[in-house]
């Protein structure tokens, strides 16, 4: 079955960096749109970034210039490089997948657009 496993979360001070990874198995990763979402305590899950199979990328405004999404199809892996972290970035970060090729997920930001999810990895940023 399809599995998404995130790693790389942790606790950092404001201004620090983390790199999240998501290992995908049981699916044709190279044919899937991938995304990162996050959910802070007491808040709804929100979209952070997406990358299509043809590597078109979008970010939510609050992370533009600080976060970089990437994918390695040879390793069936998705990444999120996070720099200049802020306390408001504190959240559980989730990897998400939609089994659609091409630019299907370009501009799509709803949790309902992605059918597969990882268990999450916690990111905590202290001031």
């Amino acid at each position: 079955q399809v599995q998404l496993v995130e790693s790389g979360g942790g606790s950092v001070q404001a201004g620090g960096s983390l790199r999240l990874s998501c290992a995908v198995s049981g699916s044709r990763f190279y044919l899937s749109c991938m995304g990162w979402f996050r959910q802070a305590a007491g808040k709804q899950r929100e979209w952070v970034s997406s990358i299509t199979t043809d590597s078109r990328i979008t970010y939510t405004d609050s992370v533009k210039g600080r976060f970089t999404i990437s994918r390695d199809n040879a390793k069936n892996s998705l990444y999120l490089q996070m720099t200049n972290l802020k306390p408001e970035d504190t959240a559980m970060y989730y990897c998400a997948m939609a089994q659609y090729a091409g630019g299907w997920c370009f501009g799509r930001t709803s949790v309902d657009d992605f059918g597969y999810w990882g268990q999450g990895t916690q990111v905590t940023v202290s001031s």
Side-chain angles (χ1 to χ4, degrees):
Q1 71 274 22
V2 176
Q3 282 192 318
L4 288 71
V5 180
E6 301 97 333
S7 61
S11 297
V12 296
Q13 290 192 325
S17 299
L18 284 172
R19 188 191 192 213
L20 306 184
S21 298
C22 174
V24 179
S25 61
S27 176
R28 292 182 294 178
F29 176 81
Y30 69 101
L31 291 178
S32 299
C33 284
M34 300 299 300
W36 287 100
F37 286 73
R38 65 187 180 186
Q39 186 167 17
K43 295 187 176 182
Q44 290 189 331
R45 193 169 298 189
E46 66 172 0
W47 170 78
V48 175
S49 180
S50 297
I51 183 168
T52 68
T53 59
D54 52 1
S55 295
R56 279 183 278 176
I57 290 171
T58 48
Y59 299 99
T60 192
D61 286 345
S62 63
V63 308
K64 284 180 181 177
R66 300 189 298 121
F67 290 11
T68 302
I69 191 172
S70 62
R71 63 190 297 161
D72 186 336
N73 290 339
K75 296 182 179 180
N76 288 350
S77 293
L78 177 73
Y79 306 99
L80 186 68
Q81 178 69 49
M82 306 185 295
T83 63
N84 191 21
L85 282 160
K86 303 176 180 181
E88 52 264 41
D89 294 319
T90 295
M92 185 73 79
Y93 282 71
Y94 296 91
C95 171
M97 182 175 74
Q99 291 183 312
Y100 294 98
W104 181 86
C105 66
F106 186 79
R108 294 180 184 262
T109 61
S110 171
V111 296
D112 295 330
D113 290 327
F114 293 82
Y116 298 92
W117 295 83
Q119 83 290 347
T121 186
Q122 178 68 37
V123 172
T124 303
V125 184
S126 58
S127 57

